[in-house]
């Protein structure tokens, strides 16, 4: 009898250990922890209230261990601007793309809110028009516009910034991003450059951009 009791005790102990081994630790998380798609509604909102340039942007990303989030972003931007002092106007339009990743600094298994630091490489190829004021030949005191169309340009830049995001309901979440952008290169026609670059912002060596995302995460 004692032998049977010992055997049953050993079997129970092995079963308990096997069941324990099958249950992942509370803090463990899969390598592929999430897949998300998002849209940026900041530009449409600014456009609706008459601020900034127009733009439409979406993003897709995967989560690895809920720590590293490789991301691809793409959009289409356009801007119509006229300098009131020089009376020089420019219209630009074109697609843009960004590739990068975010690193999550919050608790490893905390998926409902995150604080992240991100890096992006961005590039855009675009078309633009320039409108220069020139004197009217018949009446030199009157300035008329000389519209030169369909110049081609391209730009490359880097972005660094912080992201905050939280879950609203089930798979739906929102996020905010603030980024500082460094221009790497910009190639335009010798006659002039557009006032803004799609996806980057106002032409220059650097720019600051903000994003407001709404999306779903699986």
């Amino acid at each position: 009898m004692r032998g049977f009791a010992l055997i049953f005790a050993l079997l129970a102990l092995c079963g308990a250990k096997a069941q324990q081994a099958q249950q992942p630790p509370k803090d463990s998380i899969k390598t592929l922890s999430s897949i998300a798609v998002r849209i940026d509604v900041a530009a449409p909102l600014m456009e609706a209230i008459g601020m900034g340039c127009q733009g439409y942007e979406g993003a897709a990303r995967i989560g690895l261990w809920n720590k590293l989030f490789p991301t691809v972003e793409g959009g289409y931007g356009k801007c119509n601007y006229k300098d009131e002092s020089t009376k020089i106007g420019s219209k630009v339009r074109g697609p843009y793309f960004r590739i990068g990743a975010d690193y999550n600094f919050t608790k490893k298994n905390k998926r409902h809110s995150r604080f992240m630091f991100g890096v992006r490489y961005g590039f855009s190829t675009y078309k633009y028009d320039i409108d220069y004021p020139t004197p009217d030949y018949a009446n030199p005191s009157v300035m008329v516009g000389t519209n030169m169309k369909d110049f081609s340009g391209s730009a490359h830049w880097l972005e660094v910034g912080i992201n905050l995001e939280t879950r609203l309901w089930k798979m739906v979440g929102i996020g905010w991003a603030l980024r500082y952008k460094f221009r790497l290169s910009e190639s335009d026609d010798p006659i002039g450059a557009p006032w803004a670059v799609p996806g980057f912002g106002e032409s220059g060596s650097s720019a600051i951009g903000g994003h407001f995302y709404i999306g779903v995460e699986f």
Side-chain angles (χ1 to χ4, degrees), residues 108-139:
K108 185 175 180 180
N109 62 356
K110 191 174 182 179
R111 299 182 58 180
H112 295 286
S113 61
R114 300 184 182 105
F115 172 73
M116 300 189 287
F117 173 79
V119 179
R120 300 286 189 277
Y121 161 72
F123 62 95
S124 175
T125 57
Y126 46 86
K127 294 283 188 179
Y128 64 100
D129 311 331
I130 295 181
D131 190 12
Y132 280 107
T134 55
D136 187 5
Y137 290 108
N139 188 356

Side-chain angles (χ1 to χ4, degrees), residues 159-177:
E159 301 182 8
V160 294
I162 57 173
N163 304 341
L164 295 171
E165 60 182 49
T166 188
R167 191 76 58 87
L168 285 181
W169 177 74
K170 293 187 177 180
M171 296 184 295
V172 180
I174 58 174
W176 300 264

Side-chain angles (χ1 to χ4, degrees), residues 2-24:
R2 289 183 181 179
F4 282 111
L6 182 59
I7 292 172
F8 281 124
L10 289 174
L11 288 174
L13 182 62
C14 291
K17 286 187 176 180
Q19 187 177 6
Q20 228 174 19
Q22 289 175 358
Q23 294 177 350

Side-chain angles (χ1 to χ4, degrees), residues 122 155-160 179-186 188 193-197 200-209:
H156 301 257
W157 65 91
L158 287 178
E159 301 182 8
V160 294
R179 298 178 189 163
Y180 191 75
K181 309 179 182 187
F182 308 87
R183 188 183 67 178
L184 299 176
S185 66
E186 186 174 346
D188 298 304
W195 179 78
V197 171
F200 179 83
E202 185 177 347
S203 294
S205 60
S206 62
I208 296 177

Side-chain angles (χ1 to χ4, degrees), residues 40 42 57 98 159 175-179 181 209-213:
D40 184 2
E57 180 180 316
R98 303 189 197 96
E159 301 182 8
W176 300 264
L178 182 64
R179 298 178 189 163
K181 309 179 182 187
H211 304 269
F212 178 46
Y213 292 108

Side-chain angles (χ1 to χ4, degrees), residues 48-69:
I49 61 175
M51 295 177 61
C53 301
Q54 302 175 17
Y56 306 93
E57 180 180 316
R61 77 179 189 192
I62 60 173
L64 303 177
W65 310 285
N66 198 38
K67 277 296 182 182
L68 187 64
F69 294 85

